[in-house]
Amino acid sequence: MKLSIVIADSGALPSAFVVFRGIEASMKAASELGYDGVELALKRPEEAPPEKLDSLLSRYRLEVSAISTGQVYAELGLSFSDPPSAKKETLVKMFHGFIDLAAGYGGKVNIGRVRGNKGTQDPEASVARFVETVRELAAYAEKKGVTLLMEPVNRYELDFVNSVEEGARIIERIGSGGIKLMPDVFHMNIEDATIGGELEKWIDKIGYVHLADSNRLAPGQGHTDFDDIFAHLKKAGYAGWVSVEILPKPEPYTAAQQAAVFLRKYLRE
Ligand code: LER
Ligand code: MN
């Protein structure tokens, strides 16, 4: 397994859920702390120009683990569940841009908050629009050798695809090889009956894992059982990325350091 941390540009929205801000400063810190990679939380593909990425990644000996897109919904105010419109076309084109960028950097693009809510008016129609939009994007991603990552998110943030099992079922419904699951153990602690057990059960569909403790601080600062999580991931043969997505508390560098120090033992074993 390889260890990554979520970072963003200095112009990231206040709602961006990242540990460090400012691409260069973040990469320098991640590298010093022994991370193998960085997950780029972008609101537009142009925020991470390839020339800049190439020079920073080689200077700090890092890889891009994935591109995450949580800010896109906040920035554009529309989602994959919305009815067709010119704005929705803009959203889909923007995802083509993320996929094109990921083709050279990490090969993974996440779908979290941008799926939107199914609402109460006609929830099945919203979910159907979501499935259709993601199916199209997954086909585009597959052609580019990129995997979309569907992130189950807890009920207090989104009203569908909350548990890993729901994520697995919707991936089956999408029916494409271009999409996998991105379980986040913080959300799993709220929505899933077990964490390690569910990860092992759905391992064939899992392409990436987000790590945070029960209180969303660095792993080791809450009551999540990481011994159990890593025992199951190892038993299942998981060899992909685990990425630290935590609150920047008590302050970003300390939080990232706590996570790296705590997780090192599982990654070395
Ligand atoms: C994004 O990865 C995530 O986990 C969300 O909870 C952020 O809103
Ligand atoms: Mn997450």
Side-chain angles (χ1 to χ4, degrees), residues 229-257:
I229 289 173
F230 280 95
H232 281 280
L233 286 174
K234 283 176 188 172
K235 186 164 165 241
Y238 183 71
W241 286 98
V242 290
S243 184
V244 172
E245 186 192 44
I246 55 174
L247 296 168
K249 291 180 180 175
E251 45 88 25
Y253 197 89
T254 308
Q257 187 169 39

Side-chain angles (χ1 to χ4, degrees), residues 153-157 162-163 184-193 195 214 216:
V153 169
N154 79 74
R155 68 189 70 184
Y156 305 109
E157 294 185 47
N162 306 120
S163 68
D184 178 327
V185 301
F186 171 78
H187 300 301
M188 290 186 79
N189 182 53
I190 298 170
E191 298 293 343
D192 291 79
I195 303 183
S214 51
R216 237 170 180 184

